[in-house]
Each structure stands twice: as structure tokens, then as C-alpha cells.
Amino acid sequence: MHAQKHLARWLFIVAGLVALMVVIGGLTRLTNSGLSMVEWRPITGWLPPLSEAAWLAEFEKYKQFPEYQKINLGMDLAGFKEIYWFEYVHRLLGRLIGLAFALPLLWFWLRRRIPQGMHLHLLLMLALGGAQGAVGWFMVASGLVDHPDVSHYRLTLHLGLAFAIFAYLVWGALSMARGATMQSPAGGGLVIAFVALVYLQILSGGLVAGMNAGLAHNTWPLMEGKFIPDGLGVMTPLWHNIFENALTVQFQHRMLAYAVLLFAVLIWLRYAGRVANGARHMLLGMVLLQVGLGIATLLLHVPVLLGALHQLGALLVLMGAIMLWHGKARRYYSGGRHAG
């Protein structure tokens, strides 16, 4: 029992680090810092430049790429250091998360403290973390070519994988805190659909961020003076608008936000008296807060602080939904087999 509690605490800590990583990644995007490090050195890139000569060498490398040549031409070394530090901290934290997961995993494994059936899940979490580092460089590399901005598809993939890892860690931590095995996800009822909707909205947010779609149409509740603006389907074929039309991408994000809010209210009403009131109230409160943050971020043209808080809000909404889902699935397998 003690081993399970230690495993739960460890996984919650790593999930917290992943959440911090997501927020710092958002800050890196919001400050246009993500292309400041033009090399991927996963083994040897732990240390930043330690001398003026080393800083100048890094700056010269940066000057060879389109972001400097087309956007930041004339930037001085002090300006380069400012954007470099955001990306450096982001990558350093990724490495530290890897150690924070791999080393305790090895210790638990050698001490035979891992419950039966949990080994494969932990190895998969480790593999996903390693893959996330590669996906991060895959994203950055797309901005080191003619167009000095990362692919919004690759950014969405990077963001979506980070949230998936976070959710997996939270689910595993809850399973260890509440039982001896990894809890099956079946039996979550409506909450499963809500989690899927929240995750879809997170991916939609990745497209918005990747296309800088939040920097236009900064009015609410109307866009271009209309609730349903003109221009949603101007691209051909029609489905391209879903991924390539910035106006459509922002409109989708708004509509999904309304859907998440309505679904959260439905869950709050549906499960009155059937789940802990604290969980219901917390989830609805977090969704309301997140909607408010989203509106404020849009109206104020995406200030850095609000943009980062909006990303943190998405993590909290997903965590609240995962906790509610896990609780319902657990009760389902404990004898209260009602999946509604």
C-alpha cells in the first residue's frame, strides 16, 4: 500500500512538471522565442552559453536563419539573449522531466515496488515523453526554412501530445492513489464524451496559436459584426477551411468553447447527488473561468500573461474532467454499475 502511495505522489509530481512545461511552452510561443535555438542537441545541450564568445557564436548561428533575416534583422545580442532564455528553459525542463521520470522508475522497478499490470503503462509514459522531445524538434525545424514560423500542424501535434501525456500521468496517479491497479477507463458515461470534447478544443487551440488566429477578429461575441461571419468557407476544397482559414479556425474555437460550457452545465445538472458536489462545482467553475480567460485574451489581443493563464486553464479543465471520469469508472467497477 505504501508503495502505491509513493507511486501516486511521484506521478502527480511529474504531471505537475509537465503542466509547467506546457505553460512555459506557451510563453515561448507568445514571446516568439521558439526559433532562437537552431540546433537540437538532446545529449550535449544541457548548458547555455557560458561566455561572451559563446553567446556571440550562438547569435551568429541564429543570424543564418529566416527569423532573423526576415523579422528580427538588426536585433542586438541583448535582444537575442532575451528570447534565447525562454527556449533554453523550455528545453532544459524537458530534460529534467525525463530524469524525474526515468530515475524513480528505475528505482521502483529494481525494488519491485510496481504493482502488477503497471509496468507497461510506465514504460509507455516514458516512451511518449521521449517522443515528445523529438516532436518538439520536428516542430521547430519547420520554422528554420523559408517561412520563419513553425507549422501550425506540428505545433498542434506537439501541444496535443503534451496534454495526452499529462492526462495519462494524472490517470495513473489517481489509479495508484485509489487502488492497486491501473483503472480501466470504461464506465465513465457522459464524462468520457466531455473529456473528448475538451481535448478537441485543446487541439483547436493549437491551431489558433499556430496560425496566430487570435490576433485578428478581436471582438466578442460577434466576429466582423456578425455571430456567424462571412468568409468561413472561402477556401476550396471546403474542408481546407477547417485547418487553413484563420477566421474559420477562430470561429471553430469559439463554438467549441460554447459546446464545452454547455456540456459542463449538463454534467453539473446530470450528476447532482450522484458524484461529490465538490467535483461538480469545481469542474463547472474551472470551465467558466477558462471561458472568461479566453474572451479576455481575445479582446486584449493576446497579452502574454493572459495567454499563458488561458493555457494553464486548459490543463485545469482537463484535469478536473479526468478526475471526474476516473471516479465514475472506479465506482462502476466497484459495484455501482451505472454508466449514465
Side-chain angles (χ1 to χ4, degrees):
M1 183 61 71
H2 288 299
Q4 291 166 220
K5 298 298 183 184
H6 291 318
L7 278 165
R9 292 192 192 100
W10 164 55
L11 291 175
F12 274 128
I13 289 170
V14 177
L17 290 173
V18 170
L20 179 60
M21 181 78 167
V22 169
V23 173
I24 293 176
L27 288 170
T28 301
R29 174 69 185 177
L30 291 163
T31 57
N32 297 310
S33 304
L35 298 178
S36 57
M37 296 179 69
V38 297
E39 295 177 327
W40 188 42
R41 295 176 292 162
I43 306 300
T44 60
W46 283 84
L47 294 176
L50 297 176
S51 67
E52 193 70 6
W55 274 112
L56 288 170
E58 285 297 312
F59 192 23
E60 287 303 315
K61 293 176 187 175
Y62 176 68
K63 289 180 179 180
Q64 306 307 309
F65 289 87
E67 184 175 78
Y68 175 82
Q69 297 164 359
K70 296 183 178 182
I71 297 177
N72 290 331
L73 189 64
M75 171 184 276
D76 60 14
L77 182 60
F80 172 69
K81 287 181 179 181
E82 186 175 329
I83 62 172
Y84 185 95
W85 280 119
F86 276 106
E87 178 65 7
Y88 171 76
V89 170
H90 185 56
R91 295 194 191 189
L92 178 63
L93 183 56
R95 292 180 170 93
L96 293 176
I97 291 172
L99 289 178
F101 192 89
L103 294 181
L105 173 60
L106 180 62
W107 187 88
F108 283 122
W109 199 297
L110 293 176
R111 296 292 298 270
R112 299 186 179 183
R113 299 293 180 86
I114 300 173
Q116 187 174 4
M118 194 65 185
H119 297 77
L120 184 59
H121 288 288
L122 294 174
L123 289 175
L124 183 54
M125 291 174 188
L126 181 64
L128 288 172
Q132 178 70 329
V135 169
W137 176 249
F138 179 63
M139 177 190 69
V140 169
S142 67
L144 300 177
V145 289
D146 293 338
H147 181 61
D149 198 4
V150 300
S151 161
H152 59 288
Y153 294 111
R154 298 188 191 187
L155 184 147
T156 302
L157 173 63
H158 190 48
L159 182 72
L161 183 54
F163 273 84
I165 292 169
F166 172 77
Y168 199 4
L169 287 164
V170 170
W171 188 275
L174 290 170
S175 297
M176 291 299 96
R178 295 171 171 174
T181 60
M182 191 70 160
Q183 177 64 57
S184 169
L190 284 175
V191 184
I192 297 177
F194 179 71
V195 171
L197 182 62
V198 168
Y199 190 70
L200 179 62
Q201 172 67 331
I202 288 164
L203 296 179
S204 171
L207 290 175
V208 170
M211 299 183 70
N212 296 312
L215 297 176
H217 318 294
N218 299 96
T219 58
W220 183 85
L222 304 181
M223 294 179 69
E224 303 297 317
K226 299 179 180 180
F227 186 75
I228 301 178
D230 298 327
L232 291 179
V234 296
M235 300 179 70
T236 55
L238 189 62
W239 64 268
H240 276 191
N241 292 277
I242 299 171
F243 305 104
E244 299 286 349
N245 183 336
L247 183 143
T248 305
V249 166
Q250 191 193 122
F251 179 77
Q252 291 164 175
H253 196 58
R254 293 183 183 215
M255 295 304 106
L256 283 169
Y258 298 145
V260 169
L261 177 57
L262 288 173
F263 212 139
V265 172
L266 175 62
I267 287 174
W268 185 79
L269 294 171
R270 179 76 171 84
Y271 293 127
R274 296 168 58 188
V275 298
N277 281 333
R280 290 170 52 245
H281 298 336
M282 181 179 69
L283 181 60
L284 181 59
M286 287 189 296
V287 171
L288 287 167
L289 176 61
Q290 177 67 345
V291 170
L293 282 171
I295 293 169
T297 301
L298 177 72
L299 294 178
L300 296 174
H301 296 258
V302 197
V304 171
L305 178 59
L306 277 180
L309 288 174
H310 190 48
Q311 194 140 310
L312 176 61
L315 286 158
L316 293 176
V317 169
L318 181 62
M319 183 178 70
I322 291 291
M323 292 174 69
L324 191 59
W325 178 10
H326 191 280
K328 282 193 61 59
R330 181 166 175 260
R331 282 189 293 274
Y332 180 85
Y333 280 95
S334 298
R337 291 178 176 265
H338 184 85

mmCIF file of all heavy atoms in Angstrom, residues 34-67:
data_model
loop_
_atom_site.group_PDB
_atom_site.id
_atom_site.type_symbol
_atom_site.label_atom_id
_atom_site.label_comp_id
_atom_site.label_asym_id
_atom_site.label_seq_id
_atom_site.Cartn_x
_atom_site.Cartn_y
_atom_site.Cartn_z
ATOM 1 N N GLY A 34 10.644 30.618 -29.826
ATOM 2 C CA GLY A 34 10.845 29.204 -30.102
ATOM 3 C C GLY A 34 11.880 28.867 -31.149
ATOM 4 O O GLY A 34 12.357 27.728 -31.210
ATOM 5 N N LEU A 35 12.263 29.844 -31.994
ATOM 6 C CA LEU A 35 13.238 29.560 -33.047
ATOM 7 C C LEU A 35 14.612 30.130 -32.730
ATOM 8 O O LEU A 35 15.468 30.209 -33.604
ATOM 9 C CB LEU A 35 12.737 30.129 -34.388
ATOM 10 C CG LEU A 35 11.422 29.547 -34.902
ATOM 11 C CD1 LEU A 35 11.006 30.229 -36.199
ATOM 12 C CD2 LEU A 35 11.530 28.043 -35.106
ATOM 13 N N SER A 36 14.827 30.515 -31.471
ATOM 14 C CA SER A 36 16.106 31.137 -31.105
ATOM 15 C C SER A 36 17.234 30.127 -30.999
ATOM 16 O O SER A 36 18.405 30.481 -31.178
ATOM 17 C CB SER A 36 15.961 31.891 -29.789
ATOM 18 O OG SER A 36 15.500 31.019 -28.764
ATOM 19 N N MET A 37 16.900 28.863 -30.706
ATOM 20 C CA MET A 37 17.909 27.794 -30.644
ATOM 21 C C MET A 37 17.770 26.960 -31.915
ATOM 22 O O MET A 37 16.765 26.280 -32.101
ATOM 23 C CB MET A 37 17.720 26.938 -29.391
ATOM 24 C CG MET A 37 17.931 27.707 -28.094
ATOM 25 S SD MET A 37 17.668 26.701 -26.598
ATOM 26 C CE MET A 37 19.083 25.583 -26.693
ATOM 27 N N VAL A 38 18.764 27.036 -32.771
ATOM 28 C CA VAL A 38 18.638 26.483 -34.123
ATOM 29 C C VAL A 38 19.261 25.097 -34.260
ATOM 30 O O VAL A 38 19.338 24.557 -35.365
ATOM 31 C CB VAL A 38 19.256 27.444 -35.154
ATOM 32 C CG1 VAL A 38 18.499 28.767 -35.152
ATOM 33 C CG2 VAL A 38 20.744 27.688 -34.862
ATOM 34 N N GLU A 39 19.692 24.533 -33.150
ATOM 35 C CA GLU A 39 20.242 23.172 -33.161
ATOM 36 C C GLU A 39 19.528 22.331 -32.107
ATOM 37 O O GLU A 39 19.072 22.849 -31.086
ATOM 38 C CB GLU A 39 21.748 23.184 -32.853
ATOM 39 C CG GLU A 39 22.589 23.882 -33.890
ATOM 40 C CD GLU A 39 24.064 23.925 -33.506
ATOM 41 O OE1 GLU A 39 24.359 24.019 -32.286
ATOM 42 O OE2 GLU A 39 24.906 23.879 -34.403
ATOM 43 N N TRP A 40 19.436 21.043 -32.381
ATOM 44 C CA TRP A 40 18.870 20.108 -31.405
ATOM 45 C C TRP A 40 19.989 19.214 -30.910
ATOM 46 O O TRP A 40 20.522 18.387 -31.649
ATOM 47 C CB TRP A 40 17.757 19.263 -32.039
ATOM 48 C CG TRP A 40 17.022 18.422 -31.025
ATOM 49 C CD1 TRP A 40 16.629 18.793 -29.786
ATOM 50 C CD2 TRP A 40 16.583 17.073 -31.181
ATOM 51 N NE1 TRP A 40 15.970 17.773 -29.145
ATOM 52 C CE2 TRP A 40 15.925 16.700 -29.982
ATOM 53 C CE3 TRP A 40 16.662 16.131 -32.217
ATOM 54 C CZ2 TRP A 40 15.365 15.430 -29.787
ATOM 55 C CZ3 TRP A 40 16.106 14.882 -32.028
ATOM 56 C CH2 TRP A 40 15.462 14.530 -30.827
ATOM 57 N N ARG A 41 20.364 19.398 -29.662
ATOM 58 C CA ARG A 41 21.428 18.591 -29.054
ATOM 59 C C ARG A 41 20.872 17.955 -27.785
ATOM 60 O O ARG A 41 21.125 18.425 -26.680
ATOM 61 C CB ARG A 41 22.639 19.471 -28.745
ATOM 62 C CG ARG A 41 23.318 20.062 -29.986
ATOM 63 C CD ARG A 41 24.435 21.005 -29.611
ATOM 64 N NE ARG A 41 23.915 22.215 -28.976
ATOM 65 C CZ ARG A 41 24.650 23.051 -28.233
ATOM 66 N NH1 ARG A 41 25.933 22.794 -28.014
ATOM 67 N NH2 ARG A 41 24.103 24.123 -27.693
ATOM 68 N N PRO A 42 20.116 16.872 -27.931
ATOM 69 C CA PRO A 42 19.444 16.284 -26.765
ATOM 70 C C PRO A 42 20.389 15.773 -25.690
ATOM 71 O O PRO A 42 20.019 15.718 -24.513
ATOM 72 C CB PRO A 42 18.618 15.144 -27.376
ATOM 73 C CG PRO A 42 19.257 14.855 -28.691
ATOM 74 C CD PRO A 42 19.821 16.136 -29.175
ATOM 75 N N ILE A 43 21.594 15.412 -26.048
ATOM 76 C CA ILE A 43 22.541 14.872 -25.066
ATOM 77 C C ILE A 43 23.476 15.960 -24.542
ATOM 78 O O ILE A 43 23.738 16.052 -23.344
ATOM 79 C CB ILE A 43 23.369 13.714 -25.671
ATOM 80 C CG1 ILE A 43 22.447 12.638 -26.250
ATOM 81 C CG2 ILE A 43 24.308 13.121 -24.622
ATOM 82 C CD1 ILE A 43 21.509 12.018 -25.241
ATOM 83 N N THR A 44 23.963 16.828 -25.439
ATOM 84 C CA THR A 44 25.003 17.785 -25.056
ATOM 85 C C THR A 44 24.481 19.197 -24.840
ATOM 86 O O THR A 44 25.261 20.098 -24.538
ATOM 87 C CB THR A 44 26.097 17.830 -26.140
ATOM 88 O OG1 THR A 44 25.495 18.251 -27.389
ATOM 89 C CG2 THR A 44 26.720 16.455 -26.335
ATOM 90 N N GLY A 45 23.176 19.389 -24.968
ATOM 91 C CA GLY A 45 22.645 20.752 -24.896
ATOM 92 C C GLY A 45 22.169 21.195 -23.536
ATOM 93 O O GLY A 45 21.284 22.051 -23.430
ATOM 94 N N TRP A 46 22.735 20.646 -22.467
ATOM 95 C CA TRP A 46 22.271 20.983 -21.115
ATOM 96 C C TRP A 46 22.655 22.396 -20.704
ATOM 97 O O TRP A 46 21.901 23.077 -20.028
ATOM 98 C CB TRP A 46 22.877 20.001 -20.109
ATOM 99 C CG TRP A 46 22.224 18.667 -20.102
ATOM 100 C CD1 TRP A 46 22.493 17.621 -20.939
ATOM 101 C CD2 TRP A 46 21.171 18.225 -19.244
ATOM 102 N NE1 TRP A 46 21.680 16.551 -20.649
ATOM 103 C CE2 TRP A 46 20.862 16.894 -19.602
ATOM 104 C CE3 TRP A 46 20.471 18.817 -18.194
ATOM 105 C CZ2 TRP A 46 19.880 16.158 -18.967
ATOM 106 C CZ3 TRP A 46 19.490 18.084 -17.547
ATOM 107 C CH2 TRP A 46 19.199 16.767 -17.937
ATOM 108 N N LEU A 47 23.846 22.833 -21.099
ATOM 109 C CA LEU A 47 24.361 24.108 -20.613
ATOM 110 C C LEU A 47 24.096 25.218 -21.618
ATOM 111 O O LEU A 47 24.206 25.017 -22.827
ATOM 112 C CB LEU A 47 25.866 24.010 -20.351
ATOM 113 C CG LEU A 47 26.291 23.077 -19.209
ATOM 114 C CD1 LEU A 47 27.811 23.001 -19.144
ATOM 115 C CD2 LEU A 47 25.724 23.556 -17.881
ATOM 116 N N PRO A 48 23.785 26.416 -21.122
ATOM 117 C CA PRO A 48 23.651 27.576 -22.011
ATOM 118 C C PRO A 48 25.043 28.117 -22.347
ATOM 119 O O PRO A 48 26.048 27.646 -21.794
ATOM 120 C CB PRO A 48 22.873 28.562 -21.146
ATOM 121 C CG PRO A 48 23.344 28.265 -19.761
ATOM 122 C CD PRO A 48 23.536 26.766 -19.721
ATOM 123 N N PRO A 49 25.146 29.087 -23.229
ATOM 124 C CA PRO A 49 26.449 29.738 -23.450
ATOM 125 C C PRO A 49 26.982 30.315 -22.141
ATOM 126 O O PRO A 49 26.247 30.960 -21.399
ATOM 127 C CB PRO A 49 26.122 30.843 -24.465
ATOM 128 C CG PRO A 49 24.880 30.380 -25.153
ATOM 129 C CD PRO A 49 24.098 29.633 -24.115
ATOM 130 N N LEU A 50 28.253 30.085 -21.866
ATOM 131 C CA LEU A 50 28.831 30.480 -20.572
ATOM 132 C C LEU A 50 29.836 31.612 -20.681
ATOM 133 O O LEU A 50 30.422 32.019 -19.674
ATOM 134 C CB LEU A 50 29.491 29.268 -19.912
ATOM 135 C CG LEU A 50 28.542 28.112 -19.568
ATOM 136 C CD1 LEU A 50 29.315 26.928 -19.011
ATOM 137 C CD2 LEU A 50 27.463 28.561 -18.587
ATOM 138 N N SER A 51 30.048 32.130 -21.885
ATOM 139 C CA SER A 51 30.981 33.242 -22.073
ATOM 140 C C SER A 51 30.443 34.148 -23.165
ATOM 141 O O SER A 51 29.549 33.774 -23.928
ATOM 142 C CB SER A 51 32.373 32.721 -22.461
ATOM 143 O OG SER A 51 32.318 32.112 -23.755
ATOM 144 N N GLU A 52 31.006 35.340 -23.245
ATOM 145 C CA GLU A 52 30.563 36.276 -24.278
ATOM 146 C C GLU A 52 30.833 35.716 -25.670
ATOM 147 O O GLU A 52 30.019 35.883 -26.587
ATOM 148 C CB GLU A 52 31.275 37.622 -24.091
ATOM 149 C CG GLU A 52 30.684 38.758 -24.892
ATOM 150 C CD GLU A 52 29.320 39.212 -24.387
ATOM 151 O OE1 GLU A 52 28.866 38.710 -23.331
ATOM 152 O OE2 GLU A 52 28.701 40.064 -25.048
ATOM 153 N N ALA A 53 31.962 35.037 -25.801
ATOM 154 C CA ALA A 53 32.288 34.445 -27.101
ATOM 155 C C ALA A 53 31.280 33.362 -27.481
ATOM 156 O O ALA A 53 30.873 33.253 -28.644
ATOM 157 C CB ALA A 53 33.699 33.858 -27.064
ATOM 158 N N ALA A 54 30.864 32.576 -26.490
ATOM 159 C CA ALA A 54 29.887 31.520 -26.765
ATOM 160 C C ALA A 54 28.529 32.127 -27.150
ATOM 161 O O ALA A 54 27.850 31.621 -28.044
ATOM 162 C CB ALA A 54 29.739 30.628 -25.539
ATOM 163 N N TRP A 55 28.160 33.217 -26.475
ATOM 164 C CA TRP A 55 26.901 33.897 -26.833
ATOM 165 C C TRP A 55 26.969 34.446 -28.256
ATOM 166 O O TRP A 55 26.005 34.326 -29.026
ATOM 167 C CB TRP A 55 26.619 35.035 -25.854
ATOM 168 C CG TRP A 55 25.895 34.618 -24.616
ATOM 169 C CD1 TRP A 55 26.382 34.600 -23.342
ATOM 170 C CD2 TRP A 55 24.537 34.162 -24.531
ATOM 171 N NE1 TRP A 55 25.419 34.148 -22.465
ATOM 172 C CE2 TRP A 55 24.274 33.883 -23.166
ATOM 173 C CE3 TRP A 55 23.525 33.955 -25.462
ATOM 174 C CZ2 TRP A 55 23.045 33.408 -22.716
ATOM 175 C CZ3 TRP A 55 22.293 33.483 -25.024
ATOM 176 C CH2 TRP A 55 22.065 33.217 -23.677
ATOM 177 N N LEU A 56 28.073 35.029 -28.606
ATOM 178 C CA LEU A 56 28.224 35.579 -29.956
ATOM 179 C C LEU A 56 28.162 34.471 -31.003
ATOM 180 O O LEU A 56 27.584 34.650 -32.085
ATOM 181 C CB LEU A 56 29.541 36.352 -30.063
ATOM 182 C CG LEU A 56 29.569 37.695 -29.325
ATOM 183 C CD1 LEU A 56 30.989 38.253 -29.285
ATOM 184 C CD2 LEU A 56 28.616 38.689 -29.982
ATOM 185 N N ALA A 57 28.714 33.314 -30.674
ATOM 186 C CA ALA A 57 28.672 32.183 -31.612
ATOM 187 C C ALA A 57 27.234 31.708 -31.816
ATOM 188 O O ALA A 57 26.817 31.420 -32.952
ATOM 189 C CB ALA A 57 29.553 31.050 -31.093
ATOM 190 N N GLU A 58 26.462 31.625 -30.719
ATOM 191 C CA GLU A 58 25.060 31.235 -30.840
ATOM 192 C C GLU A 58 24.274 32.260 -31.651
ATOM 193 O O GLU A 58 23.405 31.904 -32.457
ATOM 194 C CB GLU A 58 24.436 31.085 -29.449
ATOM 195 C CG GLU A 58 24.841 29.835 -28.703
ATOM 196 C CD GLU A 58 24.391 28.568 -29.395
ATOM 197 O OE1 GLU A 58 23.204 28.485 -29.788
ATOM 198 O OE2 GLU A 58 25.217 27.665 -29.548
ATOM 199 N N PHE A 59 24.567 33.530 -31.414
ATOM 200 C CA PHE A 59 23.879 34.596 -32.136
ATOM 201 C C PHE A 59 24.186 34.526 -33.635
ATOM 202 O O PHE A 59 23.303 34.729 -34.476
ATOM 203 C CB PHE A 59 24.298 35.939 -31.551
ATOM 204 C CG PHE A 59 23.452 37.098 -31.997
ATOM 205 C CD1 PHE A 59 22.150 36.929 -32.451
ATOM 206 C CD2 PHE A 59 23.961 38.398 -31.944
ATOM 207 C CE1 PHE A 59 21.371 38.009 -32.843
ATOM 208 C CE2 PHE A 59 23.195 39.481 -32.340
ATOM 209 C CZ PHE A 59 21.903 39.284 -32.800
ATOM 210 N N GLU A 60 25.430 34.226 -33.967
ATOM 211 C CA GLU A 60 25.804 34.106 -35.382
ATOM 212 C C GLU A 60 25.065 32.951 -36.055
ATOM 213 O O GLU A 60 24.664 33.049 -37.219
ATOM 214 C CB GLU A 60 27.313 33.922 -35.518
ATOM 215 C CG GLU A 60 28.123 35.179 -35.253
ATOM 216 C CD GLU A 60 27.721 36.336 -36.163
ATOM 217 O OE1 GLU A 60 27.550 36.096 -37.387
ATOM 218 O OE2 GLU A 60 27.577 37.459 -35.663
ATOM 219 N N LYS A 61 24.873 31.858 -35.333
ATOM 220 C CA LYS A 61 24.086 30.744 -35.882
ATOM 221 C C LYS A 61 22.657 31.184 -36.165
ATOM 222 O O LYS A 61 22.087 30.872 -37.204
ATOM 223 C CB LYS A 61 24.084 29.563 -34.904
ATOM 224 C CG LYS A 61 25.429 28.888 -34.698
ATOM 225 C CD LYS A 61 25.315 27.801 -33.629
ATOM 226 C CE LYS A 61 26.674 27.226 -33.272
ATOM 227 N NZ LYS A 61 26.586 26.249 -32.153
ATOM 228 N N TYR A 62 22.077 31.918 -35.207
ATOM 229 C CA TYR A 62 20.703 32.394 -35.357
ATOM 230 C C TYR A 62 20.565 33.301 -36.577
ATOM 231 O O TYR A 62 19.552 33.270 -37.282
ATOM 232 C CB TYR A 62 20.300 33.123 -34.075
ATOM 233 C CG TYR A 62 18.928 33.749 -34.115
ATOM 234 C CD1 TYR A 62 17.774 32.965 -34.166
ATOM 235 C CD2 TYR A 62 18.779 35.146 -34.071
ATOM 236 C CE1 TYR A 62 16.510 33.544 -34.175
ATOM 237 C CE2 TYR A 62 17.523 35.731 -34.082
ATOM 238 C CZ TYR A 62 16.391 34.930 -34.139
ATOM 239 O OH TYR A 62 15.148 35.509 -34.167
ATOM 240 N N LYS A 63 21.597 34.098 -36.841
ATOM 241 C CA LYS A 63 21.552 35.044 -37.960
ATOM 242 C C LYS A 63 21.491 34.353 -39.315
ATOM 243 O O LYS A 63 21.121 34.992 -40.313
ATOM 244 C CB LYS A 63 22.775 35.965 -37.918
ATOM 245 C CG LYS A 63 22.754 36.978 -36.792
ATOM 246 C CD LYS A 63 24.014 37.839 -36.845
ATOM 247 C CE LYS A 63 24.020 38.888 -35.750
ATOM 248 N NZ LYS A 63 25.242 39.734 -35.787
ATOM 249 N N GLN A 64 21.824 33.082 -39.356
ATOM 250 C CA GLN A 64 21.819 32.364 -40.631
ATOM 251 C C GLN A 64 20.421 31.901 -41.030
ATOM 252 O O GLN A 64 20.249 31.350 -42.121
ATOM 253 C CB GLN A 64 22.757 31.141 -40.541
ATOM 254 C CG GLN A 64 24.171 31.456 -40.103
ATOM 255 C CD GLN A 64 24.810 32.547 -40.940
ATOM 256 O OE1 GLN A 64 24.805 32.471 -42.175
ATOM 257 N NE2 GLN A 64 25.360 33.554 -40.283
ATOM 258 N N PHE A 65 19.436 32.124 -40.182
ATOM 259 C CA PHE A 65 18.107 31.561 -40.425
ATOM 260 C C PHE A 65 17.070 32.660 -40.667
ATOM 261 O O PHE A 65 17.261 33.824 -40.301
ATOM 262 C CB PHE A 65 17.707 30.661 -39.259
ATOM 263 C CG PHE A 65 18.498 29.385 -39.215
ATOM 264 C CD1 PHE A 65 19.717 29.331 -38.556
ATOM 265 C CD2 PHE A 65 18.044 28.249 -39.885
ATOM 266 C CE1 PHE A 65 20.462 28.158 -38.531
ATOM 267 C CE2 PHE A 65 18.778 27.080 -39.869
ATOM 268 C CZ PHE A 65 19.985 27.029 -39.201
ATOM 269 N N PRO A 66 15.963 32.296 -41.325
ATOM 270 C CA PRO A 66 14.995 33.299 -41.797
ATOM 271 C C PRO A 66 14.383 34.183 -40.716
ATOM 272 O O PRO A 66 14.023 35.322 -41.004
ATOM 273 C CB PRO A 66 13.920 32.443 -42.487
ATOM 274 C CG PRO A 66 14.620 31.201 -42.900
ATOM 275 C CD PRO A 66 15.637 30.944 -41.824
ATOM 276 N N GLU A 67 14.208 33.682 -39.491
ATOM 277 C CA GLU A 67 13.560 34.530 -38.493
ATOM 278 C C GLU A 67 14.357 35.806 -38.260
ATOM 279 O O GLU A 67 13.783 36.900 -38.169
ATOM 280 C CB GLU A 67 13.358 33.787 -37.168
ATOM 281 C CG GLU A 67 12.592 34.651 -36.152
ATOM 282 C CD GLU A 67 12.267 33.929 -34.871
ATOM 283 O OE1 GLU A 67 13.174 33.783 -34.025
ATOM 284 O OE2 GLU A 67 11.104 33.504 -34.725
#
